[in-house]
Amino acid sequence: MPEGEEGVKWRGTQIRHGRPGERVQKVLLQSDVHSKSDESPVTVADYGSQALVSFVLEKELHTEVTMVAEEDSADLRNEGATETLERITKLINETISNDGSYSVPPLSSEDVLIAIDRGDSEGGPSGRHWVLDPIDGTKGFVRGDQYAIALALLEDGKVVLGVLACPNLPLSPIGSDGQSFLQKEVGCLFYAKVGGGTHMEHLLMHVCATEDPAEASFFESFEAAHSSHDLSSAIASKLGVRAPPVRMDSQAKYGALARGDGAIYLRFPRKGYREKIWDHAAGCLVVTEAGGVATDAAGNPLDFSKGKLLDLDTGIVVSNQKLMPSLLKAVRDSLNEASRGTPSL
Ligand SMILES: Nc1ncnc2c1ncn2[C@@H]1O[C@H](COP(=O)(O)O)[C@@H](OP(=O)(O)O)[C@H]1O
Ligand SMILES: [Mg+2]
Ligand SMILES: [Mg+2]
Ligand SMILES: [Mg+2]
């Protein structure tokens, strides 16, 4: 980032930097943030991360990898994107060389495009597919807040492995005052294998065991455009939750829930929005292996076998086993009230 600049501008908002994070997050330039056809942001880091994960999976697994991943190379193949592609290629080559695990000649821009496009699998109910969100919470990443690199493995439509790298998530629990965001010790890696529990670094963890909604705090998207803050507040008050919401970008929410920082995660996108599997596959296993439950608003388990999109009823609700029945009832009641246009919503 040029000297004296405090961050980048995204859609008129000055984005600050200054919290600890990855090198790329700190040095993100305004020209590194682009708009996709759905108007959502994508950065050189989203592309770079997808290419790197694809490169490493191929190197480590010695086999052809099929991946259902968020990004594709179409925009980077446009003539106007040459400089961006060069910058991504440079960042990737620097990362591989600094890491030192692979002695390979520098990747060309074409190698990078091919690595990104290894993520073009459609997924589905059969076979093995890696599911990747190379930067989940791009808006949080650009803002200098939370983001996650989310990788999952699907076997015959079921998530059997989930990894969430959350470089800005504090090691100590997050309170609803958000204070621990200011702590220096950040960076958590959550991983879960089906039947093997959820681990953070070397610790086995468990979701918060509370049965009392008054003790439970809840997570939701920082971005109100991703999930209705009004609806979750109505649900929380119906359930008797006293604590204010903890708003955070990315699947770091699933990681924080898995280690018991809060007890509930609510996600209610606007009508018509279809959730993508890469936004939930890794997080869902990280939570369920820690003893939690993730369902849609009707209480159905999340089904990752239908291709890129999750086919679900209304929203996503995550909690522990004990709170789930009363939480789902509060969700149902609040949704009914909202559809009747009750003024409190
Ligand atoms: N209108 C919308 N409603 C719900 N989710 C949305 C959305 N627009 C984008 N998203 C998804 O929300 C994800 C971030 O979730 P969160 O709000 O929990 O940080 C984004 O992931 P990316 O940042 O990987 O694109 C994107 O896939
Ligand atoms: Mg995105
Ligand atoms: Mg995402
Ligand atoms: Mg993403």
Side-chain angles (χ1 to χ4, degrees):
M1 184 168 56
E3 194 97 359
E5 269 185 37
E6 293 262 291
V8 295
K9 241 188 176 139
W10 169 249
R11 301 212 169 274
T13 309
Q14 186 66 32
I15 308 295
R16 70 190 182 280
H17 288 299
R19 293 206 179 107
E22 264 194 341
R23 196 176 59 85
V24 180
Q25 189 178 26
K26 282 189 189 147
V27 299
L28 204 67
L29 305 173
Q30 193 155 332
S31 59
D32 289 337
V33 187
H34 302 269
S35 223
K36 294 205 276 193
S37 53
D38 64 359
E39 301 277 290
S40 65
V42 60
T43 72
V44 291
D46 296 66
Y47 290 122
S49 166
Q50 181 156 325
L52 271 172
V53 174
S54 155
F55 168 84
V56 169
L57 284 178
E58 281 261 305
K59 284 271 168 264
E60 295 295 327
L61 301 175
H62 308 289
T63 161
E64 203 162 299
V65 169
T66 66
M67 242 177 15
V68 190
E70 179 177 4
E71 312 304 343
D72 63 64
S73 74
D75 289 347
L76 293 176
R77 289 181 189 274
N78 289 338
E79 255 175 48
T82 315
E83 261 179 47
T84 304
L85 179 57
E86 276 168 11
R87 177 146 158 77
I88 295 165
T89 308
K90 185 163 170 275
L91 282 170
I92 291 172
N93 283 320
E94 279 171 10
T95 307
I96 295 174
S97 133
N98 290 344
D99 170 71
S101 305
Y102 306 100
S103 44
V104 288
L107 303 191
S108 66
S109 292
E110 189 54 33
D111 294 333
V112 168
L113 294 172
I114 291 170
I116 291 171
D117 282 338
R118 232 172 261 135
D120 67 358
S121 159
E122 289 293 324
S126 55
R128 262 185 153 211
H129 305 277
W130 291 91
V131 180
L132 175 68
D133 193 334
I135 301 272
D136 178 41
T138 302
K139 290 176 185 167
F141 177 84
V142 171
R143 211 188 303 113
D145 282 338
Q146 293 300 327
Y147 66 99
I149 294 136
L151 181 68
L153 178 61
L154 283 190
E155 270 176 10
D156 296 334
K158 293 258 179 312
V159 189
V160 295
L161 187 73
V163 183
L164 291 179
C166 306
N168 279 349
L169 193 70
L171 291 181
S172 53
I174 287 172
S176 33
D177 55 2
Q179 280 305 304
S180 32
F181 282 121
L182 302 173
Q183 289 184 4
K184 290 211 175 71
E185 249 189 323
V186 293
C188 303
L189 182 75
F190 298 88
Y191 54 95
K193 202 172 136 193
V194 77
T198 297
H199 304 252
M200 185 182 82
E201 313 230 317
H202 300 293
L203 298 172
L204 189 61
M205 72 200 72
H206 205 276
V207 291
C208 158
T210 187
E211 282 179 69
D212 181 3
E215 283 176 8
S217 65
F218 74 97
F219 293 103
E220 65 182 347
S221 286
F222 183 92
E223 298 285 339
H226 293 179
S227 182
S228 164
H229 290 174
D230 289 349
L231 187 55
S232 17
S233 134
I235 294 166
S237 73
K238 199 173 273 300
L239 190 64
V241 172
R242 287 207 211 114
V246 181
R247 295 187 175 141
M248 200 194 289
D249 302 284
S250 86
Q251 286 166 75
K253 290 185 280 294
Y254 282 105
L257 192 95
R259 68 182 189 187
D261 290 7
I264 299 164
Y265 169 23
L266 298 170
R267 189 179 185 90
F268 293 94
R270 63 171 159 71
K271 230 180 157 88
Y273 180 79
R274 298 289 305 274
E275 295 281 3
K276 319 296 182 305
I277 59 171
W278 51 74
D279 279 325
H280 301 281
C284 180
L285 191 65
V286 161
V287 157
T288 50
E289 279 299 317
V293 200
T295 71
D296 68 9
N300 304 310
L302 304 184
D303 182 354
F304 293 94
S305 75
K306 297 276 168 65
K308 291 182 177 178
L309 301 176
L310 279 174
D311 183 15
L312 48 76
D313 185 346
T314 316
I316 294 179
V317 181
V318 191
S319 189
N320 65 30
Q321 316 256 5
K322 288 178 185 154
L323 271 177
M324 207 57 174
S326 49
L327 176 58
L328 284 172
K329 181 171 182 316
V331 166
R332 241 181 352 258
D333 293 348
S334 302
L335 286 171
N336 285 339
E337 282 174 19
S339 70
R340 288 199 301 268
T342 306
S344 68
L345 299 177

